[in-house]
Amino acid sequence: MWHTNIGNFHLIFTKFVNMHKSILDSDIQFLPGVGPKRALLLKSELEVFTIGDLLHLFPFRYIDRSTIQKIGSITTDAAYVQVLGQVISSSVTGVGRKQRLSVVITDDTSQMELVFFRGIKYTAEKLKVGSTFLFFGKPSFFNGKLNMVHPEIDFPPTGGPQNFSGTLTGVYASTEKLKNGGITGRVMNKMMEAAIGMGIQDIQETLPDYILREKGLCPLNFAIRNIHFPVNQASLDKARYRLKWEELFLLQLSLLKQKYIRSRNEVGIKMLRVGSPFNACYNALPYSLTGAQKRVIKEIRADLMSGHQMNRLLQGDVGSGKTMVAVLTALIAIGNGYQACIMAPTEVLAQQHYANISKYLAPTGIHCELLTGSTTPAGRKPIHEGLCDGSLKLIIGTHALLEDDVIFKNLGLAIIDEQHRFGVDQRSKLWAKGNAGVPPHVLVMTATPIPRTLAMTLYGDLDVSIIDEMPPGRKPVKTYCFGEAKRPVLYKFMAKQISLGRQIFIVYPLIFESEKLDYQNLEKGYEDIVEHFPYPSYKVAIVHGQQSNEDKMLNMNAFASGRANILVSTTVIEVGVDVPNASVMVIESAERFGLSQLHQLRGRVGRGSEESFCVLMHGRKVSNESMKRLNLMCATENGFDLAEEDMKMRGPGDLEGTQQSGLPIELNIASLTHDGTILSDARSYAEHILAQDPTLEKPENESLAAELRKDKYNVKDYSKIS
Ligand code: ADP
Ligand code: MG
């Protein structure tokens, strides 16, 4: 009956849409069972505009309707179950919004309560005492009794449970508005059935035959049909694999193609020499570079000599020695007659860079200056002049470097520290400070390790260098997690460490929305510390964002120079601050920080030769997830491992370091968290194809070129904005 209807409709419809390219492009309202009202909802809630869009809305999970569980066998309260039960009682309690319907069902093993808060009248009428239905939902135990809230209700299978032959049913993303508008899960399945009936033969294969063959992928129309209505688990697996692989493959193909085109077109300044400033600095180093530092400098050298513009991301854990690499890179640029700049996200960090780097520069005779928001007009003038006439070779600064009146004579290299703190616009401004249309080489440094799969996607067209080796002599930081009850233990431990001559960081969270409260916490914490560590036996410094720059520097310097034993602060110290004598990091309300932030903070200690400690203090009410994070911190010290775990826990979209730039593309079915293996395979296959046909002009790759022209793969060019 249903099918005949579609058949007829299809005929009329085909005539109607003849002017369209295909049925897939037709407005969703023309799908049987949709109509203008529901179409509006589908458009606003799910961005489904056409029948093709609907077919590309994939289920996010499947209900296994092939098994019916005995009520007596249900033990867990996590998974979904399907039971066949007879109604033995039904009662409505409460009034108004507190009203609820309680229905007790039974099978031959046990009983279960079903609870409804909505649609009470309708449901009560349907679930008459004595009648039998299939119920599907998430069971839970309440007061030791099994219950299910708002289960889905189905008529029992005809012929009794023995003959039941259900399948995997797709569950689609839904919203309250969709449900209220009548687009329930079941309606969605019906619409999808209609869409498949009408549209499946119009689905065009997107991947060339040779790829399907070489990669053993199923055809697209098989995949689309089975992702919605799997014949069985094996077909679903095949469909899923094909769709994920295709999605990641096309994404990588577009990123790599851009990279290829850019490296061919973008002229870069050729810096052929190492130069004497580099050698002077290198030879005077008090230590030898780590293997990883040497490797990265080689990679950078190759870029600078290539004649193409360098666009390199340098990832390395806190303390891995990125600054040294930055300095040596700047010295190569200077040795080749160009200027270089190093941009840091905060004033404190820029100052610290300036102080450190000036030391490294001493043996080279190169002069550098600092330019920040608080540089006085009188101080700015000579700096501006020096940059403009080329006498000033190296400038270190904050956003102040981006201002219009900062003009370089010949900027050859821009180094950006902690890139994720800079906005996209700011980075492109820097890019434009090169001369005569030749952009400077760009080195972006980040201490927020990004998992490999994410880096491949986020920075798919950037080159990535990784410093995966710490300078020798660093001891692991012992990490502990304490509740409030252990505070006395903490204070005793702190006193002991101070008596040994060590210094201590205490960090409070500062989260934007509750800033006021956070400052109260910080101040209360400070008072508490001063009470337990009184002057003059102890000296406690405090740094936070509401202080004047002067106060901030005064307190920072008191700690950095060793005059203060304890530094109480907000996360201003998160990035970069280097106090080798500080060996204890106490993080208050640690549950409120993300993993990578905790890791950054911990990286502030363990820089000297002493044994170092990190204490994570947490409040009374901590969610399971936060506790998992804290425990992971205690167990793992490797930033990349933590980043992987963080991504698994929170999903890539929420990872710190990616919020600002966001993912270049929204993935429909693949997951960067779970599909790393597919991603690697798809990426190397994309490389293999581009090696033979870099611009995808060969006839066999025509469908690929066509796919990449679609909006979805019009990926932002991240290299341009870094
Ligand atoms: P990052 O910027 O990656 O956090 P830094 O460049 O600040 O790390 O280096 C951390 C510390 O390690 C600094 O005190 C630096 O002098 C020191 N350092 C850097 N490279 C080496 C090395 N190869 N051997 C020994 N110490 C090093
Ligand atoms: Mg650093």
Side-chain angles (χ1 to χ4, degrees):
M1 195 58 180
W2 177 252
H3 278 280
T4 331
N5 276 345
I6 292 179
N8 286 341
F9 186 82
H10 194 175
L11 270 180
I12 306 163
F13 197 83
T14 314
K15 270 188 205 150
F16 176 75
V17 296
N18 245 350
M19 61 276 262
H20 289 267
K21 273 197 299 247
S22 102
I23 285 176
L24 301 173
D25 295 325
S26 358
D27 196 301
I28 190 68
Q29 69 165 310
F30 300 119
L31 189 74
V34 178
K37 245 186 165 169
R38 284 181 173 177
L40 276 179
L41 270 178
L42 288 170
K43 288 171 191 176
S44 65
E45 295 297 292
L46 296 173
E47 289 182 45
V48 167
F49 294 89
T50 63
I51 291 175
D53 290 343
L54 187 67
L55 286 177
H56 282 88
L57 179 78
F58 301 148
F60 66 94
R61 66 179 175 85
Y62 296 82
I63 297 171
D64 183 0
R65 288 293 177 85
S66 58
T67 50
I68 295 176
Q69 235 171 303
K70 291 292 179 196
I71 296 175
S73 74
I74 299 170
T75 50
T76 166
D77 61 354
Y80 284 79
V81 297
Q82 177 168 248
V83 297
L84 184 67
Q86 186 177 34
V87 178
I88 52 174
S89 77
S90 165
S91 62
V92 178
T93 55
V95 282
R97 294 175 80 218
K98 292 243 172 79
Q99 210 177 35
R100 54 186 266 168
L101 167 67
S102 159
V103 173
V104 179
I105 58 162
T106 182
D107 61 9
D108 50 16
T109 61
S110 189
Q111 291 187 0
M112 175 188 251
E113 186 192 16
L114 310 176
V115 184
F116 302 86
F117 302 102
R118 294 185 307 270
I120 288 179
K121 193 158 166 263
Y122 165 84
T123 312
E125 271 168 25
K126 183 168 180 174
L127 302 184
K128 290 195 175 70
V129 172
S131 58
T132 299
F133 290 93
L134 270 174
F135 299 97
F136 181 88
K138 212 173 170 172
S140 61
F141 283 94
F142 186 73
N143 284 341
K145 272 161 60 186
L146 194 59
N147 77 14
M148 209 141 74
V149 177
H150 278 273
E152 280 180 37
I153 307 163
D154 261 312
F155 289 107
T158 45
Q162 285 79 15
N163 298 333
F164 182 65
S165 66
T167 48
L168 295 165
T169 307
V171 181
Y172 299 86
S174 185
T175 67
E176 212 52 43
K177 273 191 190 159
L178 282 171
K179 279 182 203 143
N180 292 339
I183 305 182
T184 59
R186 193 162 327 179
V187 168
M188 201 68 180
N189 291 127
K190 280 269 184 258
M191 289 185 334
M192 212 52 93
E193 197 179 332
I196 293 273
M198 288 171 59
I200 197 76
Q201 65 270 54
D202 275 30
I203 297 267
Q204 298 268 329
E205 180 55 60
T206 44
L207 297 177
D209 272 353
Y210 76 92
I211 296 186
L212 295 186
R213 221 175 29 247
E214 286 177 17
K215 286 281 139 193
L217 301 169
C218 70
L220 184 56
N221 53 13
F222 177 95
I224 295 280
R225 184 189 287 279
N226 279 277
I227 200 78
H228 295 295
F229 300 102
V231 178
N232 51 37
Q233 187 64 46
S235 308
L236 175 58
D237 292 346
K238 259 192 209 158
R240 245 198 204 136
Y241 185 84
R242 139 92 210 206
L243 294 167
K244 285 180 174 185
W245 193 92
E246 171 181 9
E247 184 166 51
L248 294 171
F249 168 73
L250 289 174
L251 174 58
Q252 291 302 321
L253 193 68
S254 75
L255 289 166
L256 291 167
K257 187 163 164 260
Q258 269 181 35
K259 177 176 163 181
Y260 174 83
I261 291 169
R262 176 170 56 74
S263 69
R264 226 180 25 168
N265 292 347
E266 205 71 72
V267 183
I269 302 164
K270 258 194 186 164
M271 299 182 177
L272 295 175
R273 276 179 297 185
V274 172
S276 52
F278 178 102
N279 286 325
C281 175
Y282 189 85
N283 294 332
L285 279 180
Y287 43 72
S288 51
L289 296 184
T290 63
Q293 282 171 319
K294 282 186 190 155
R295 190 188 65 236
V296 168
I297 287 172
K298 267 195 198 134
E299 288 166 354
I300 291 171
R301 268 274 287 156
D303 286 355
L304 297 182
M305 291 169 71
S306 72
H308 298 301
Q309 187 212 15
M310 170 169 78
N311 258 294
R312 191 167 280 279
L313 177 73
L314 174 57
Q315 292 197 61
D317 236 331
V318 180
S320 61
K322 294 183 296 297
T323 312
M324 198 60 247
V325 172
V327 170
L328 290 171
T329 305
L331 289 176
I332 295 176
I334 294 166
N336 281 273
Y338 293 91
Q339 292 168 297
C341 71
I342 300 178
M343 191 161 83
T346 65
E347 177 119 13
V348 170
L349 191 55
Q351 297 223 9
Q352 185 148 26
H353 270 322
Y354 176 68
N356 279 336
I357 291 171
S358 299
K359 270 187 257 162
Y360 291 129
L361 291 181
T364 67
I366 304 278
H367 176 70
C368 83
E369 287 284 353
L370 177 69
L371 182 67
T372 70
S374 55
T375 309
T376 60
R380 276 169 195 246
K381 197 161 170 278
I383 293 177
H384 285 172
E385 284 169 6
L387 289 176
C388 199
D389 68 20
S391 57
L392 182 55
K393 298 295 182 197
L394 180 58
I395 181 82
I396 296 166
T398 56
H399 306 83
L401 291 176
L402 299 173
E403 283 159 19
D404 289 336
D405 50 6
V406 176
I407 298 162
F408 291 86
K409 175 153 188 265
N410 58 355
L411 182 66
L413 170 74
I415 297 176
I416 306 173
D417 198 7
E418 302 297 341
Q419 52 89 24
H420 66 270
R421 290 171 178 248
F422 289 104
V424 161
D425 295 346
Q426 294 168 331
R427 286 180 258 160
S428 65
K429 267 192 174 168
L430 196 54
W431 178 279
K433 289 207 182 271
N435 295 83
V438 182
H441 293 295
V442 177
L443 181 68
V444 174
M445 304 196 291
T446 176
T448 308
I450 297 166
R452 245 171 57 80
T453 53
L454 190 57
M456 275 185 201
T457 307
L458 201 49
Y459 305 111
D461 64 339
L462 283 191
D463 296 304
V464 179
S465 289
I466 297 177
I467 306 190
D468 50 5
E469 183 186 351
M470 285 294 188
R474 277 184 67 109
K475 294 207 175 118
V477 180
K478 283 195 178 141
T479 305
Y480 301 98
C481 184
F482 283 4
E484 206 43 51
K486 282 209 179 160
R487 191 167 289 278
V489 180
L490 171 69
Y491 285 170
K492 228 189 203 157
F493 171 73
M494 285 169 56
K496 170 101 190 292
Q497 288 294 310
I498 293 173
S499 76
L500 292 171
R502 314 273 185 274
Q503 291 171 278
I504 298 171
F505 287 110
I506 303 181
V507 176
Y508 282 82
L510 185 61
I511 292 159
F512 198 63
E513 296 100 286
S514 53
E515 219 171 322
K516 226 179 182 163
L517 203 75
D518 286 335
Y519 278 119
Q520 277 172 15
N521 284 341
L522 173 81
E523 262 153 32
K524 247 178 45 209
Y526 175 69
E527 279 162 22
D528 192 43
I529 289 294
V530 173
E531 194 179 305
H532 282 84
F533 297 89
Y535 188 81
S537 319
Y538 298 96
K539 291 182 196 67
V540 185
I542 180 166
V543 171
H544 59 75
Q546 291 192 339
Q547 285 170 317
S548 66
N549 268 331
E550 208 177 321
D551 279 353
K552 221 185 278 178
M553 287 320 294
L554 211 73
N555 278 275
M556 242 357 268
N557 287 337
F559 189 69
S561 67
R563 275 176 284 131
N565 312 100
I566 300 174
L567 178 69
V568 175
S569 78
T570 54
T571 46
V572 276
I573 60 145
E574 181 191 337
V575 204
V577 177
D578 198 6
V579 183
N581 191 47
S583 63
V584 182
M585 166 64 66
V586 179
I587 304 175
E588 294 286 350
S589 304
E591 73 272 16
R592 293 176 61 192
F593 291 94
L595 257 185
S596 79
Q597 220 181 356
L598 289 173
H599 179 64
Q600 293 265 325
L601 288 169
R602 179 168 61 183
R604 298 294 113 220
V605 296
R607 312 196 129 203
S609 47
E610 306 308 332
E611 177 152 51
S612 301
F613 304 89
C614 175
V615 183
L616 307 170
M617 296 298 293
H618 64 78
R620 263 180 261 284
K621 280 188 184 164
V622 181
S623 70
N624 278 346
E625 199 196 319
S626 301
M627 213 55 223
K628 251 198 207 158
R629 245 187 354 251
L630 300 184
N631 288 332
L632 200 65
M633 277 294 294
C634 296
T636 313
E637 227 198 316
N638 180 302
F640 285 92
D641 292 349
L642 283 172
E644 287 287 346
E645 288 303 322
D646 206 13
M647 186 161 89
K648 275 181 201 151
M649 278 188 221
R650 302 199 295 165
D654 291 334
L655 262 196
E656 280 156 66
T658 67
Q659 281 129 330
Q660 208 159 46
S661 37
L663 289 172
I665 194 170
E666 238 177 87
L667 294 174
N668 190 20
I669 183 166
S671 145
L672 296 177
T673 314
H674 302 292
D675 301 323
T677 321
I678 302 180
L679 175 57
S680 301
D681 180 59
R683 182 175 169 92
S684 57
Y685 198 73
E687 272 167 358
H688 159 76
I689 288 179
L690 287 172
Q692 291 152 25
D693 186 12
T695 46
L696 299 178
E697 275 158 23
K698 290 189 180 169
E700 67 264 34
N701 289 326
E702 201 192 306
S703 62
L704 294 179
E707 278 305 301
L708 293 197
R709 280 193 291 274
K710 288 185 180 165
D711 277 351
K712 177 173 180 181
Y713 294 103
N714 184 10
V715 180
K716 270 193 250 163
D717 185 349
Y718 274 81
S719 63
K720 286 268 178 198
I721 52 180
S722 294

